[in-house]
Amino acid sequence: MARRGGAAGNAKPDKRADRAERAERSGRAGRGREALTAAVDGGHAELAPDKERRNAWTLLLDGAPQSHVDLDDPTYLSFEYQRRIGHVIDLAAPPGTPLHVLHLGGGAFTLARYTAATRPRSTQQIVEIDAPLVAFVRRELPLDPQARVRVRALDAREGLGKIPDGWADLVVADVFGGARTPAHLTTTEFLAEVRRALKPGGSYVANLADGPPLAHLRGQIATAAAHFPELALAADPTVWRGRRFGNAVLVASDRPVAVAELTRRVATDPHPGRVEHGRALADFTGGAAVVTDAGAKASPAPPPTAFD
């Protein structure tokens, strides 16, 4: 899971010494293997060192894992759902082609770092409502100063509303507050704004979380289908079968999704998943109703054992 919806832009050229000091301090902290903590708007934030990677960290909020970052290799995606979103980023355009990407939810900026590393000269915006969290992440896990990443401290839907029509090649939604997606980011009105911000042929990709009986997931597919003709959903087989709570990655576009290649990549991940689309996905949705602002609810809370 990841966070809600960020703060100031990249440091200016006259702050090079400050950036260098932050990067050096972050590297020292990584080698020291001590957890870093801070009080943020969303609760208690912790950056826990990865025991197997020299300069990698897991961000947790109130004990719930949010994202993982390897400062030495930003192309390394540890979390299952982040790898699946990474596949979508890879398939959004020919390799290396710069993109305009909007990230709703910041976390530790993992996917923005990945995009900057794999698609240099991309222009990215991150919208993260928790300004103290952004400050903590920027201080301890500095962004590459060459990356064209702007971070705004706004609610995700408010930040989306400030994006010009047709600006984004890709909108990535990874928005959680208290381990739940806020209700106002699950609706047809929200997705109408996403569609407005996307270029023709652009894609929307969302990290969703649900458990049995998967009513939230079915509703999100139905809502996306009201705006996008092409959909695909990637999830662990046990999540598909409604046997456990987990993440699912939804891809929506007005052009055909690269389903065959996405399926191959998801199936060969360290934790293989399954991709459904077309009739099979429509059947899975089972006539679920489109979610509106008037009746929206936050995504279900994970069970206590979800992060064991």
Side-chain angles (χ1 to χ4, degrees):
M1 297 183 186
R3 277 298 297 155
R4 299 181 285 171
N10 284 333
K12 296 179 181 179
D14 61 351
K15 296 185 179 180
R16 291 176 184 171
D18 183 53
R19 287 201 304 264
E21 190 275 336
R22 288 181 181 181
E24 181 182 356
R25 183 156 51 84
S26 180
R28 290 199 305 268
R31 290 190 292 274
R33 316 316 294 163
E34 292 183 0
L36 308 171
T37 62
V40 299
D41 289 346
H44 177 78
E46 177 182 353
L47 286 169
D50 187 324
K51 296 179 181 179
E52 298 181 356
R53 302 181 74 88
R54 186 190 71 87
N55 203 12
W57 303 83
T58 298
L59 172 67
L60 302 98
L61 286 173
D62 288 339
Q66 304 294 319
S67 51
H68 179 279
V69 169
D70 188 331
L71 293 179
D72 294 336
D73 181 10
T75 67
Y76 176 77
L77 299 177
S78 175
F79 285 13
E80 178 181 290
Y81 84 86
Q82 290 183 329
R83 283 196 301 274
R84 291 170 184 166
I85 296 177
H87 298 327
V88 176
I89 295 170
D90 291 344
L91 297 172
T97 302
L99 298 175
H100 284 187
V101 184
L102 173 64
H103 301 268
L104 301 177
F109 313 155
T110 303
L111 293 166
R113 298 174 199 267
Y114 178 85
T115 303
T118 59
R119 296 183 177 277
R121 304 184 310 282
S122 290
T123 300
Q124 302 185 77
Q125 293 195 39
I126 298 172
V127 179
E128 167 57 59
I129 197 171
D130 195 331
L133 174 64
V134 170
F136 177 53
V137 170
R138 291 183 71 99
R139 182 177 68 248
E140 304 298 347
L141 307 179
L143 284 164
D144 181 345
Q146 302 304 314
R148 300 170 62 179
V149 180
R150 180 182 184 185
V151 191
R152 290 182 169 186
L154 294 170
D155 170 79
R157 190 153 159 183
E158 181 183 357
L160 173 62
K162 296 181 181 297
I163 299 299
D165 293 0
W167 179 86
D169 295 292
L170 190 63
V171 174
V172 179
D174 187 9
V175 187
F176 287 83
R180 304 176 70 182
T181 301
H184 69 298
L185 304 179
T186 68
T187 70
T188 188
E189 292 89 348
F190 165 70
L191 282 177
E193 277 293 284
V194 170
R195 184 70 189 265
R196 176 196 60 77
L198 282 170
K199 297 177 182 178
S203 296
Y204 169 67
V205 55
N207 175 31
L208 308 174
D210 200 7
L214 302 178
H216 173 72
L217 191 55
R218 298 178 206 275
Q220 290 305 285
I221 298 167
T223 305
H227 294 275
F228 297 94
E230 303 289 339
L231 302 176
L233 188 78
D236 185 276
T238 58
V239 174
W240 275 114
R241 292 193 290 268
R243 293 184 178 178
R244 72 169 178 87
F245 191 98
N247 295 82
V249 170
L250 175 66
V251 187
S253 182
D254 63 357
R255 67 171 184 177
V257 177
V259 173
E261 181 60 18
L262 180 62
T263 298
R264 185 191 69 79
R265 292 183 181 218
V266 170
T268 56
D269 275 341
H271 298 282
R274 193 173 92 222
V275 175
E276 293 288 4
H277 70 290
R279 174 52 57 187
L281 188 58
D283 290 345
F284 170 80
T285 305
V290 170
V291 180
T292 66
D293 280 349
K297 298 179 181 179
S299 66
T305 58
F307 307 118
D308 290 347

